Amino acid sequence: MATDVEELAPLTEEQVRERLRAGKLVEGLEHMSPKYLEGMRRILTVSADTELVSAPAYLRAAQHAPALNNFGSAMSIIQDELAHAHIGYRLLGDLGVDMDWLIYERPASQFKYPYAFDVPLNSWVELVCANALYDQAGFVLLSDVHKVGTFGPWKRALAKVDKEETFHLRHGRTWLRKLVKEPDGKAEVQRAVDWMFILTLEWFGLPDSQKKHSEQLEYGFKGQSNDELRQTWMAAVVPFMEELEIEVPAHFEAEHDRYEIDCPFPARFDEEKREWLLDEGPIGWDEVLTRWRARGPMNRDYVRTLQRGYQTTSLRRAA
Ligand SMILES: [Fe+2]
Ligand SMILES: [Fe+2]
């Protein structure tokens, strides 16, 4: 379990702020205050968990690859994701968190990745849609950290991660362009986008007006707010979907110079059918948070897959 932040991070809030104002990066615990450390652990855990769980999620869908070389491309994406997860967990280890517990012993319900990954990807089409939508979300979030982040070791590592994420989303886009040329392929892409698009909108979290954890912006963990990141993602995805003639519930509103969501949002989701119950109108974020906290259908299964090897072999670190 995490060692006490008070003991590990010696600086006061003012000293951290002063360092950041001077344009210096935070290089380790010696440059952190307890609040900075706590916030950095939180955002790194979400990031590493997201990378890690994408591996079993993509592996499940990769089994439907149309040919062996396509399976190979999917495998190389999965290897990238495991390496991205490793970067995050290794940094958390440096920040005093017990990595074995975090990766291999933590209960599935305590993982912090976006709810979208708890909904199963059941086909090759759904995998490439995930590359175009989910990897785009990852790219938006991580490029923001890469640009404005204040924790040096993470910021530098993201140079490589960013390039690999570009490959993942290009993989998705190339496949989608090909699939929509056939009527059946296009219908299947539309069906997948219908549930995945809104799940990715949710990914960016609570609207700015309801957001907690203000240290994320204050300390330069992030440059853009949740709503701004959601806009950045739509600016990348909506025009691409228009090019494919795939319908999405969002459009650019020139008058306000921003993307508008055209369906009730947030909304109720039937996770068994993978359908949005839009007729029931918008719901409150408290209901969304309840769904997220309960986790979705694949949570235990994916975490079990990731932890099985550790639990059945003798790779544990000696005490
Ligand atoms: Fe990744
Ligand atoms: Fe990725």
Side-chain angles (χ1 to χ4, degrees):
M1 198 80 66
T3 326
D4 191 15
V5 290
E6 309 283 336
E7 257 169 59
L8 287 171
L11 299 194
T12 63
E13 301 311 315
E14 188 40 41
Q15 285 170 317
V16 177
R17 272 176 241 262
E18 208 175 297
R19 182 178 180 88
L20 296 177
R21 271 198 302 271
K24 290 185 192 156
L25 294 175
V26 169
E27 293 296 344
L29 287 168
E30 70 278 19
H31 299 149
M32 295 185 185
S33 63
K35 199 172 153 203
Y36 185 101
L37 175 55
E38 224 170 357
M40 185 46 69
R41 280 180 178 177
R42 186 181 300 121
I43 187 170
L44 266 174
T45 303
V46 172
S47 174
D49 286 356
T50 308
E51 303 282 12
L52 187 65
V53 85
S54 68
Y58 289 174
L59 182 63
R60 175 190 169 93
Q63 294 168 29
H64 304 283
L68 194 57
N69 64 333
N70 306 135
F71 184 72
S73 309
M75 282 303 133
S76 97
I77 292 176
I78 291 165
Q79 286 184 31
D80 288 344
E81 304 300 15
L82 291 172
H84 299 170
H86 182 252
I87 291 170
Y89 291 126
R90 187 66 187 73
L91 290 172
L92 281 160
D94 292 344
L95 300 183
V97 183
D98 177 344
M99 285 194 286
D100 288 342
W101 176 80
L102 199 63
I103 305 168
Y104 298 117
E105 294 168 9
R106 189 166 33 142
S109 60
Q110 290 181 33
F111 275 71
K112 307 280 187 219
Y113 57 83
Y115 173 85
F117 273 119
D118 275 341
V119 183
L121 300 170
N122 293 334
S123 65
W124 183 256
V125 171
E126 289 179 0
L127 173 62
V128 298
C129 281
N131 287 151
L133 301 176
Y134 298 175
D135 287 279
Q136 181 76 55
F139 179 77
V140 165
L141 287 158
L142 292 177
S143 342
D144 183 62
V145 176
H146 179 48
K147 247 180 266 153
V148 306
T150 52
F151 183 36
W154 193 21
K155 191 180 170 89
R156 288 185 290 271
L158 287 175
K160 170 180 150 68
V161 175
D162 251 24
K163 292 202 171 64
E164 288 166 350
E165 290 305 339
T166 309
F167 157 60
H168 304 171
L169 65 96
R170 228 175 24 217
H171 179 257
R173 286 184 169 215
T174 308
W175 263 97
L176 289 182
R177 282 199 178 97
K178 186 168 131 176
L179 286 165
V180 297
K181 287 186 184 136
E182 302 293 333
D184 288 355
K186 189 171 178 186
E188 210 183 326
V189 170
Q190 183 68 62
R191 274 198 302 278
V193 170
D194 281 345
W195 63 267
M196 292 168 81
F197 184 87
I198 302 175
L199 273 184
T200 328
L201 284 177
E202 266 188 4
W203 185 311
F204 298 94
L206 262 58
D208 297 348
S209 53
Q210 295 179 36
K211 176 105 168 58
K212 295 170 277 169
H213 302 318
S214 62
E215 81 280 356
Q216 294 199 349
L217 280 170
E218 202 184 311
Y219 273 148
F221 294 172
K222 283 162 71 173
Q224 295 186 332
S225 68
N226 286 3
D227 285 335
E228 287 165 344
L229 290 162
R230 206 176 344 255
Q231 284 290 323
T232 306
W233 179 79
M234 283 193 277
V237 168
V238 175
F240 177 65
M241 291 295 158
E242 282 167 0
E243 175 199 321
L244 301 182
E245 295 177 355
I246 291 293
E247 282 173 32
V248 291
H251 73 279
F252 185 70
E253 189 66 64
E255 196 188 327
H256 302 120
D257 193 29
R258 65 193 303 275
Y259 283 85
E260 301 281 357
I261 298 170
D262 302 323
C263 64
F265 180 77
R268 206 160 282 149
F269 183 61
D270 181 332
E271 58 189 18
E272 297 307 323
K273 291 189 183 148
R274 301 187 303 174
E275 266 174 29
W276 290 97
L277 307 176
L278 299 176
D279 292 344
E280 296 182 16
I283 58 169
W285 279 94
D286 50 340
E287 194 179 324
V288 180
L289 289 173
T290 305
R291 165 159 51 80
W292 287 356
R293 281 195 202 107
R295 302 269 30 157
M298 298 310 291
N299 168 248
R300 283 155 162 273
D301 193 88
Y302 288 158
V303 173
R304 197 186 308 123
T305 303
L306 292 163
Q307 294 180 338
R308 196 171 41 213
Y310 174 82
Q311 284 160 1
T312 54
T313 60
S314 52
L315 293 171
R316 294 172 203 215
R317 217 178 293 253

